Amino acid sequence: PCNNNLQKIFPTDRKKIDAEDHEIASIMSSDDVQQLRMIENRKIEFLPIKVAENFPNLSEYKVLHCGIKKVFKENFRGLRKLVGIELLDNEITEIEENSFDDQTEMIFLSLNKNKITKLNENLFKNLRKLEGLHMNENQLTTLPENIFENLIALKWIGLNDNQLTTLTDQHF
């Protein structure tokens, strides 16, 4: 779905890294990386794919104040150790079905301040450990029935400043 890759965002060419050799080795050691953050860059319109190949132990993924337009299932595929994803203040209008299927350990998901108008009914089906779901300041008008059904650990859900008119027991 998107042709971007990690090389564009995280160049591995030694000539592009301004560090001494021992520092380069620690930067390139992907097993050590647990947090990935992209902040305040509206030029970033798509999330990288195949992130798990480069950062298999990633536990936190934050993309804040960027220009992300769509979330694809390949963006998070294989990232089984993720406990938190924060996609705050982007331009997201759509989240592809099954985008979070591999995140069975996730406890926090923030999709605040985007342009999401609808959610797929199976989007959260594997997030049984999710405790916090933040979807404030989007453009949601309706929610599929049973969308939150599998969120058995859910303690907090934020849906403020959307265009929702009803929220019933059928959503849970």
Side-chain angles (χ1 to χ4, degrees):
C2 55
N3 293 325
N4 63 327
N5 59 41
L6 288 175
Q7 301 303 321
K8 291 179 182 176
I9 296 173
F10 304 102
T12 56
D13 182 1
R14 288 176 160 233
K15 295 177 185 174
K16 295 182 180 181
I17 298 174
D18 186 20
E20 295 178 14
D21 286 342
H22 70 279
E23 293 172 331
I24 291 172
S26 66
I27 291 170
M28 304 316 291
S29 177
S30 62
D31 289 346
D32 294 335
V33 177
Q34 293 181 358
Q35 296 179 351
L36 176 59
R37 292 187 272 183
M38 293 176 262
I39 301 173
E40 295 185 13
N41 187 344
R42 293 287 176 189
K43 293 180 182 178
I44 300 174
E45 294 184 355
F46 295 98
L47 295 170
I49 58 174
K50 299 183 181 180
V51 175
E53 291 177 14
N54 293 294
F55 306 114
N57 293 316
L58 205 62
S59 63
E60 293 181 30
Y61 196 125
K62 296 182 180 188
V63 182
L64 315 174
H65 318 290
C66 292
I68 305 303
K69 296 185 182 309
K70 182 176 178 180
V71 176
F72 296 95
K73 58 187 167 190
E74 288 86 5
N75 295 136
F76 301 111
R77 181 171 284 153
L79 292 171
R80 290 171 171 59
K81 295 181 181 182
L82 274 181
V83 295
I85 296 176
E86 190 171 358
L87 303 175
L88 171 73
D89 190 22
N90 284 281
E91 304 290 325
I92 299 169
T93 58
E94 184 180 351
I95 302 173
E96 195 171 62
E97 184 176 359
N98 305 319
S99 289
F100 305 120
D101 278 4
D102 287 347
Q103 284 65 60
T104 57
E105 300 299 313
M106 189 155 57
I107 59 172
F108 178 78
L109 174 61
S110 175
L111 301 167
N112 287 341
K113 291 188 172 186
N114 281 287
K115 297 178 180 180
I116 302 166
T117 57
K118 65 179 183 173
L119 299 171
N120 180 281
E121 65 184 73
N122 294 316
L123 186 62
F124 307 126
K125 70 180 180 185
N126 289 344
L127 304 182
R128 295 186 175 275
K129 294 184 180 180
L130 193 71
E131 294 179 9
L133 176 60
H134 300 261
M135 296 187 303
N136 299 310
E137 297 184 52
N138 277 286
Q139 298 171 8
L140 294 169
T141 56
T142 62
L143 294 171
E145 286 187 16
N146 302 318
I147 187 161
F148 307 123
E149 180 179 40
N150 292 335
L151 303 181
I152 56 176
L154 194 64
K155 295 177 182 175
W156 173 258
I157 183 167
L159 292 167
N160 297 331
D161 298 316
N162 277 286
Q163 299 170 14
L164 295 168
T165 56
T166 58
L167 188 62
T168 68
D169 289 344
Q170 293 177 345
H171 292 106
F172 295 89

